[in-house]
Amino acid sequence: MAHDPADTWLKIRDAETGKIVSAANWKVYPSYVEAPKPEIHATWWEEGSKEREMAETVMEDFFERRRKNCKEAHVLLFILFTVPEFQRRDAGSMMLKWGTDLADHLFLPMWVEASEHGYHLYESHGFQSKEKVHVQTEKWLVEYTHMRRPAKEPRVKIGGTR
């Protein structure tokens, strides 16, 4: 993965084994600059394979939707995972709390592309559904929900008489 100055990585390790059990990649964009169209290369599939072509089609659609919808300064949850045996033990919520606290301090909205498995976790942290996406290729159906969490409104009490 190329270095991106917007990246912040977090990880949670199991205290007994030291193994990473959850990680998140946050991208913080404090001011809006139109993202360049990324070059898509599904290098984990063989060059010229049907699978590589389909993966690149799905990824192109994914990144184009993000470019179309995220036209504002924001915090993006790019990756969040928790290994199965540690799911439902608040690791994902801890990661989301860190990101929502950061976004609230910066008064920025947040974006995430949610799988069916993560949808309710994101919803419980204030994300709202913006678009349900279905991308069909020859062999695959990819489904996710583009979600946005509104920016916290600045609340300042200006002095006055009591």
Side-chain angles (χ1 to χ4, degrees):
M1 184 179 296
H3 174 70
D4 181 347
D7 278 343
T8 299
W9 279 95
L10 302 175
K11 62 186 172 188
I12 297 174
R13 291 185 182 273
D14 178 20
E16 292 178 16
T17 66
K19 291 184 179 177
I20 294 173
V21 299
S22 185
N25 176 217
W26 294 93
K27 294 185 178 282
V28 181
Y29 302 108
S31 58
Y32 174 70
V33 176
E34 186 170 347
K37 188 171 182 173
E39 288 190 34
I40 305 295
H41 304 288
T43 55
W44 55 92
W45 292 105
E46 184 178 327
E47 182 81 38
S49 70
K50 195 65 164 170
E51 289 82 3
R52 183 169 180 159
E53 179 185 324
M54 290 185 300
E56 290 173 354
T57 297
V58 168
M59 291 170 56
E60 285 170 4
D61 181 86
F62 180 87
F63 285 110
E64 189 55 36
R65 285 175 196 276
R66 184 181 290 163
R67 284 170 37 92
K68 180 184 82 177
N69 292 321
C70 297
K71 292 189 174 278
E72 60 188 343
H74 64 281
V75 175
L76 172 69
L77 178 53
F78 190 68
I79 297 170
L80 172 61
F81 75 85
T82 303
V83 297
E85 58 269 24
F86 283 84
Q87 291 175 357
R88 305 232 179 263
R89 293 169 62 181
D90 289 333
S93 286
M94 287 171 58
M95 295 294 190
L96 279 171
K97 177 154 179 22
W98 185 91
T100 57
D101 285 351
L102 175 64
D104 288 349
H105 287 304
L106 298 172
F107 302 109
L108 292 176
M110 301 176 73
W111 287 90
V112 67
E113 290 90 4
S115 68
E116 177 184 342
H117 299 292
Y119 181 88
H120 295 292
L121 175 64
Y122 302 130
E123 187 177 49
S124 73
H125 285 266
F127 286 85
Q128 301 163 350
S129 177
K130 292 296 177 189
E131 179 184 19
K132 294 211 179 276
V133 179
H134 309 275
V135 180
Q136 180 71 57
T137 68
E138 187 177 311
K139 293 182 180 180
W140 303 332
L141 172 61
V142 177
E143 298 178 303
Y144 62 91
T145 304
H146 209 167
M147 300 181 82
R148 182 180 184 274
R149 181 179 179 267
K152 180 180 178 181
E153 292 292 323
R155 302 212 185 256
V156 178
K157 186 172 184 173
I158 307 292
T161 59
R162 290 186 187 223

